[in-house]
Amino acid sequence: MNTFILIVTGIIGAVLTYYISENKKQGAVRASALLSLIIGLFFYSFPEVLNPYLTKHIPIVFVGTSFIGMVSSKTVSNQKTIAIAGVLFTIIYTNKNHVFEGYGGALGTMAFIALLASMGFVVLVSKTKEIKKQASTFIKKALNKN
């Protein structure tokens, strides 16, 4: 259940930051900072609302996914891609096993990896038929030359 709550937090953090940045014209930095401040202050002021694991990790996941939401609409115009990136970020975060410990910029790095992977996934899914057609054409040509 904790992982599910973190995944929902990841989706909300990324999509809400993107929405406020682009639709409310607040800018990426202001949107991320404002939302992260609200979440951070809430869990700092009310640490007993949820269990200690969620109280510790929800603000971190939210801040990390707000970095995803800072992407420009010229780069990613689809909120579904941003939601997928929020899920990927949460999966990476929950399974990182001290890989990023001691390094500055770990949340930003994980956000970049998640966003890049989700963008690649969307391109791959949208061009699946074209890729299959090119692969079969390549295989036919390769087999005919031998």
Side-chain angles (χ1 to χ4, degrees):
M1 187 65 174
N2 287 344
T3 304
F4 177 74
I5 292 171
L6 290 178
I7 288 173
V8 171
T9 300
I11 293 170
I12 291 171
V15 172
L16 192 59
T17 302
Y18 182 81
Y19 175 79
I20 290 177
S21 172
E22 295 297 326
N23 294 10
K24 299 298 181 184
K25 305 295 183 205
Q26 292 300 310
V29 175
R30 184 179 291 167
S32 175
L34 176 66
L35 293 171
S36 297
L37 180 65
I38 291 169
I39 294 297
L41 285 175
F42 177 81
F43 282 100
Y44 179 78
S45 300
F46 305 106
E48 303 297 324
V49 172
L50 298 172
N51 67 49
Y53 177 83
L54 290 175
T55 300
K56 177 183 176 186
H57 292 286
I58 283 177
I60 296 170
V61 169
F62 192 92
V63 170
T65 56
S66 76
F67 295 158
I68 293 169
M70 292 173 73
V71 68
S72 170
S73 62
K74 294 177 184 175
T75 306
V76 178
S77 60
N78 188 348
Q79 289 186 359
K80 291 178 187 175
T81 305
I82 293 172
I84 292 169
V87 171
L88 287 175
F89 175 90
T90 306
I91 291 169
I92 293 168
Y93 176 78
T94 55
N95 294 302
K96 68 183 179 341
N97 292 334
H98 309 292
V99 171
F100 294 102
E101 216 169 84
Y103 294 100
L107 291 178
T109 302
M110 288 187 283
F112 174 73
I113 292 167
L115 184 60
L116 193 61
S118 65
M119 289 169 63
F121 176 74
V122 168
V123 169
L124 184 66
V125 168
S126 68
K127 298 193 180 218
T128 301
K129 290 181 182 177
E130 183 180 325
I131 292 170
K132 286 180 183 177
K133 183 180 175 183
Q134 289 178 353
S136 66
T137 304
F138 175 76
I139 291 171
K140 286 177 186 176
K141 286 182 181 179
L143 292 175
N144 289 335
K145 289 186 178 182
N146 293 329

